[in-house]
Amino acid sequence: MAGSANLNVMMKTARKAGRALLKDFGEVENLQVSTKGPGDFVSRADRQAEETIRDELMRARPSYGFLGEEGREIAGEDPTRRWIVDPLDGTTNFLHGLPHWAVSIALEHKGQIVAGVIYDPVKDEMFYAEKGGGAWLNESRLRVSGRHKMIESIFATGLPFAGRADLPDTIRDLARILPACAGVRRFGAAALDLAYVAAGRYEGFWERGLHAWDMAAGLLIVREAGGIVEPLNPDGDIMVDRQVICANEPIFETFAKVIRAS
Ligand code: IPD
């Protein structure tokens, strides 16, 4: 798809950061056997990737604001536009040498996400969308899955770790959904979970405790692939409550009823 100038900047930037992260990922395995471990190295790689992304985006569009996972927010001269960036979504996977992580870049205009890019350098998969232009994976148009039976459907979520307060809710969700579906996956990178719903690899995804940078690009990509995206609490707001539920159209209602029953 021939994208806008902004989309081209986002894809070029994601590839550049992705190439550097891929090189660092190759080092992680060696570091795992060292006494210091790979923790500091990965934090550095994560911060460096954000710097690369920020420099590229700010150079191309100096008036836009910037919100990244690793740094403080930068207000732009143009208050209506800002980049929302997760330089490395799936940090824990990266740290453990698991090849499932991505760079996520979104562009927000007047409070709405208008373009999103999620790049998985290991698989060289570039998921992207612009508002009204459909969703894409590399050169192919994306469409959410056509499955309509819960029992044949696969869902993804995030499991709360390190003492997060939403553990009981998630356990209740799992107790209800597991008997009713073909499986639940926890792959550890929310941006890719959303991209996979858009690609029809899962029928749906839900998670609590996410941040804007984990979700921003993915929400647009799912919507542009024909999926339904809502706040987990129907009266809430995805970004404010930091909770989301999404699925293909035939499954959404049943799936949401099961998850929202807690
Ligand atoms: C994390 C991943 C994970 C999700 C966590 C996020 P990070 O992002 O997306 O799948 O369950 O809530 O914080 O820290 O790797 O960028």
Side-chain angles (χ1 to χ4, degrees):
M1 168 204 159
S4 70
N6 276 338
L7 188 70
N8 289 332
V9 167
M10 293 162 77
M11 293 207 276
K12 197 174 134 234
T13 302
R15 279 194 201 283
K16 184 169 180 187
R19 267 197 306 275
L21 282 168
L22 199 54
K23 233 158 133 208
D24 293 333
F25 187 63
E27 293 291 312
V28 167
E29 220 160 71
N30 304 331
L31 293 164
Q32 265 158 355
V33 292
S34 78
T35 45
K36 203 167 162 226
D40 292 345
F41 176 83
V42 170
S43 313
R44 230 180 6 257
D46 202 346
R47 277 199 309 274
Q48 256 161 26
E50 182 159 315
E51 266 167 45
T52 303
I53 295 169
R54 198 185 52 224
D55 291 351
E56 288 287 318
L57 296 177
M58 304 287 282
R59 191 169 45 228
R61 299 288 181 266
S63 64
Y64 294 10
F66 184 93
L67 173 68
E69 180 177 18
E70 301 302 317
R72 60 183 174 83
E73 182 163 6
I74 301 170
E77 222 172 85
D78 175 353
T80 69
R81 291 184 172 83
R82 69 170 175 169
W83 304 110
I84 303 177
V85 170
D86 191 344
L88 175 54
D89 182 53
T91 320
T92 309
N93 284 346
F94 191 101
L95 180 64
H96 286 254
L98 287 165
H100 191 75
W101 45 270
V103 177
S104 174
I105 304 177
L107 176 61
E108 186 188 61
H109 182 217
K110 295 186 175 163
Q112 283 202 2
I113 307 299
V114 292
V117 159
I118 296 170
Y119 181 51
D120 173 345
V122 174
K123 304 172 200 78
D124 194 20
E125 289 190 325
M126 177 75 78
F127 301 87
Y128 55 99
E130 279 190 287
K131 201 154 190 277
W136 300 78
L137 163 53
N138 297 336
E139 302 307 315
S140 309
R141 183 91 191 237
L142 288 182
R143 187 76 209 151
V144 289
S145 145
R147 284 201 182 80
H148 52 91
K149 290 191 182 138
M150 279 290 284
I151 202 67
E152 292 172 3
S153 297
I154 285 184
F155 299 94
T157 190
L159 299 178
F161 47 88
R164 265 171 40 177
D166 47 339
L167 180 61
D169 284 336
T170 308
I171 289 174
R172 274 194 294 272
D173 296 342
L174 291 171
R176 277 193 315 275
I177 197 165
L178 280 167
C181 71
V184 171
R185 302 289 181 265
R186 197 303 186 233
F187 283 173
L192 286 175
D193 286 337
L194 288 162
Y196 282 18
V197 173
R201 292 174 182 174
Y202 316 134
E203 276 60 50
F205 166 72
W206 83 102
E207 189 167 345
R208 300 179 176 81
L210 290 169
H211 292 94
W213 45 79
D214 299 316
M215 301 183 271
L219 300 180
L220 178 70
I221 297 174
V222 173
R223 285 193 175 116
E224 287 294 326
I228 300 179
V229 180
E230 287 189 2
L232 206 47
N233 167 2
D235 305 321
D237 178 284
I238 295 174
M239 294 300 188
V240 175
D241 303 339
R242 300 171 44 205
Q243 304 181 344
V244 70
I245 182 162
C246 65
N248 67 7
E249 208 248 309
I251 288 286
F252 186 86
E253 209 180 309
T254 321
F255 169 49
K257 211 185 263 168
V258 173
I259 296 298
R260 284 171 174 158
S262 33

